[in-house]
Amino acid sequence: MSGDWIYLDYAATTPVDPRVLEAMQEHLAIDGRFANPSALHPAGRSSAAAVQKAAEAVAQLVNCDPGRLIWTSGATESNNLAIQGVARARSHHGKHLVTMPTEHKAVTDVYKALEADGFELSWLAPEATGVLDPAALEAVLRPDTQLVSIMYVNNETGVVQDVASLGRICREHDVAFHVDAAQAVGKLNVDIAALNADLVSISAHKLYGPSGIGALYVRKRVGLNPDPLMFGGAQQGRLRPGTLAVHLIAGFGAAAMLARESLVDDFAHVKALRDRLWQGIRSTPGLTLNGDLASGYPGILNVSAEGLDGESLLLALEPLCVSTGSACNSQSQEPSAVLRALGVPDEQAESAIRFSFGRMTTEAEIDAAAELYGQAVRSLRALMPEAA
Ligand SMILES: *Cc1c(COP(=O)(O)O)cnc(C)c1O
C-alpha cells in the first residue's frame, strides 16, 4: 500500500518496477549512455547497442524477429500506425475494414476517422461472453477487405479473444490482421509466430515499464508495409522517424525481460487476488459480474451494483483507486460501449467498476478494497429512497 491510496487500476497503468527504473537511469545523464543512437561516434554506437538489446528482450517476450519491431510512443500510436498505415497503403486494392465495438478507443476512433475519409467499416458483435465467433469474422470478409483489427485481452472486462483462429481466417483470405495486445503482452504467453498476426501493438506502461513508449510488430510480407504517419528522418526505415528515446526503450526492454521471468508467477498472483476479491464482495446484494471468471484474464474484475451510479461509487470508494470502465471513457458520462456490446443493460453498465491488479498488489490491499466496496454499496443504497 502506498499510504495515501490503494491502487487497483493496473489496467490503466502499472507502476514502474524498481529494476526498470535502474535500467532507465543509465541512459539519461553525462555519465551514462544518453547519446543519440543514430550518431556514428562511440557514444552513439553504445546507445544503439542498448536499443538493440531492448529490441531483443521485447522480441523474446512475444516470440518475434527483433528487426520487425518499430518503436512508438505507446499502443495508441502503434494502433494508428498499423490501422491508418495499412488502410492507406492498401486503399487502391479496396477500402473495406473490419473491427469490433469492444475495441479500445485507440482502435475504434481510428476506424471512425478512416470512415470519414471514405473507408467502409464492418463492426462485428461479440457473443454474450464477449468473445468473437471466428465464423462471424469469416462471414463478413469480402474481396475488397484489407484489414481486420481485433484486440487480444479487453481492457475493461479481461475477455480474451481467440486471436490465433481469427488470424488463420485472415491469412486464408489474404487480409491483413492487426492485434492490439496492450493488455496481453507480459501477462499471457503471447506468441506472435503462432498468432497469424501481421501487426501487433504493445505498450510498456501496461507491463511495469515507463509510459510514452511502445512498439508495433510488422510482419515481413509483400503488400503489408504501412504508410508512415510522420515524416522527418531516416530512423526506423522512415516508418517512424524521430530520435529514439533510449531511456524509455531501455526501460521497456528491462520490463520485457522481467515480464518473461515472472509471467507464470504474475498470472498465478493476480488470479489468487481476483478470486479473493470476488469472494470478499460477492455476498453484497445486487452484484453482477461483467465478463467471465473462467475464461477471462484474471488481472481484471468488472462488477456492477444494481441501482447505483459508477461515478458516485468511485467517490464513495476513496482512497481506493479503481476505474468506472476504460480510463479513457472517464471524461464522458456515456455507459461503456464495451459493456453495451456485451448486451449489458445501460443501468447495469452505469454502475460498473473495474478492479485491476498486478505484480505489486497485496492481499491486504484486496481485503481493504473488499471492505470499502461493501461499505460504499451499502451506504449509497441507504441513501436511495426505494432501497431495500
Ligand atoms: C492502454 C491501452 C492502449 C493505449 O496504450 P498507450 O500506450 O497508453 O497509448 C491501447 N489499447 C489497449 C487495449 C490498452 O489497454
Side-chain angles (χ1 to χ4, degrees):
M1 246 176 265
S2 77
D4 294 336
W5 56 68
I6 301 164
Y7 187 80
L8 292 186
D9 202 15
Y10 279 71
T13 203
T14 54
V16 166
D17 190 289
R19 292 163 290 183
V20 168
L21 194 57
E22 226 170 276
M24 291 171 68
Q25 274 166 345
E26 276 176 47
H27 296 282
L28 286 162
I30 184 67
D31 59 347
R33 295 192 286 164
F34 65 91
N36 190 323
S38 300
L40 297 175
H41 49 62
R45 292 203 303 273
S46 177
S47 289
V51 168
Q52 177 59 24
K53 185 178 157 217
E56 280 160 15
V58 175
Q60 270 203 340
L61 179 63
V62 294
N63 191 27
C64 74
D65 173 359
R68 303 308 301 172
L69 291 171
I70 301 293
W71 304 112
T72 64
S73 60
T76 300
E77 187 189 333
S78 297
N79 289 349
N80 272 273
L81 181 56
I83 298 165
Q84 291 197 55
V86 168
R88 296 197 197 288
R90 296 193 55 81
S91 61
H92 57 288
H93 293 293
K95 296 190 116 182
H96 180 231
L97 313 171
V98 178
T99 190
M100 294 177 76
T102 44
E103 293 293 307
H104 193 276
K105 274 190 183 300
V107 168
T108 55
D109 282 358
V110 184
Y111 267 70
K112 287 173 193 166
L114 286 169
E115 184 176 40
D117 263 3
F119 287 83
E120 197 186 330
L121 312 185
S122 290
W123 298 92
L124 290 171
E127 314 275 281
T129 56
V131 177
L132 176 64
D133 178 0
L137 172 62
E138 187 147 36
V140 82
L141 296 180
R142 318 189 308 213
D144 62 337
T145 308
Q146 299 307 321
L147 176 71
V148 172
S149 181
I150 308 285
M151 74 203 311
Y152 203 137
V153 173
N154 186 274
N155 52 298
E156 291 188 40
T157 57
V159 165
V160 180
Q161 297 295 346
D162 180 5
V163 275
S165 297
L166 302 171
R168 195 172 324 112
I169 289 167
C170 291
R171 185 64 50 89
E172 283 163 11
H173 292 261
D174 200 28
V175 172
F177 183 45
H178 168 248
V179 176
D180 177 351
Q183 294 287 344
V185 172
K187 295 165 185 178
L188 303 180
N189 184 14
V190 174
D191 180 347
I192 287 182
L195 284 186
N196 302 306
D198 295 311
L199 306 125
V200 180
S201 298
I202 313 173
S203 177
H205 77 97
K206 305 291 174 73
L207 55 112
Y208 313 98
S211 34
I213 186 75
L216 178 68
Y217 163 80
V218 183
R219 184 179 299 278
K220 191 178 176 76
R221 187 176 156 195
V222 175
L224 193 73
N225 286 339
D227 281 356
L229 301 178
M230 295 189 293
F231 302 88
Q235 295 96 342
Q236 309 203 77
R238 297 194 182 275
L239 185 49
R240 205 284 196 171
T243 305
L244 293 177
V246 185
H247 65 300
L248 296 177
I249 292 169
F252 188 4
M257 206 179 296
L258 289 172
R260 189 156 168 266
E261 283 167 11
S262 49
L263 201 68
V264 173
D265 288 349
D266 282 354
F267 188 90
H269 181 62
V270 295
K271 184 171 188 306
L273 294 176
R274 192 268 319 261
D275 293 345
R276 189 179 180 96
L277 179 59
W278 181 233
Q279 279 309 317
I281 63 174
R282 64 181 300 178
S283 61
T284 311
L287 294 198
T288 327
L289 255 169
N290 303 310
D292 183 38
L293 283 187
S295 64
Y297 167 65
I300 294 174
L301 183 70
N302 192 313
V303 183
S304 289
E306 193 186 351
L308 299 186
D309 155 66
E311 307 274 314
S312 321
L313 198 46
L314 204 70
L315 290 175
L317 283 170
E318 282 183 17
L320 185 60
C321 302
V322 287
S323 164
T324 54
S326 132
C328 321
N329 284 339
S330 58
Q331 307 296 325
S332 74
Q333 300 280 4
E334 280 282 289
S336 153
V338 171
L339 296 182
R340 208 174 239 179
L342 263 55
V344 173
D346 280 359
E347 320 83 70
Q348 186 181 321
E350 271 161 20
S351 69
I353 292 289
R354 177 189 70 185
F355 301 89
S356 51
F357 342 94
R359 194 180 289 161
M360 293 83 165
T361 310
T362 64
E363 287 187 345
E365 288 178 314
I366 293 294
D367 294 346
E371 182 71 28
L372 280 166
Y373 185 78
Q375 275 171 11
V377 170
R378 280 192 299 275
S379 60
L380 287 174
R381 290 232 175 96
L383 299 173
M384 292 164 56
E386 72 273 36

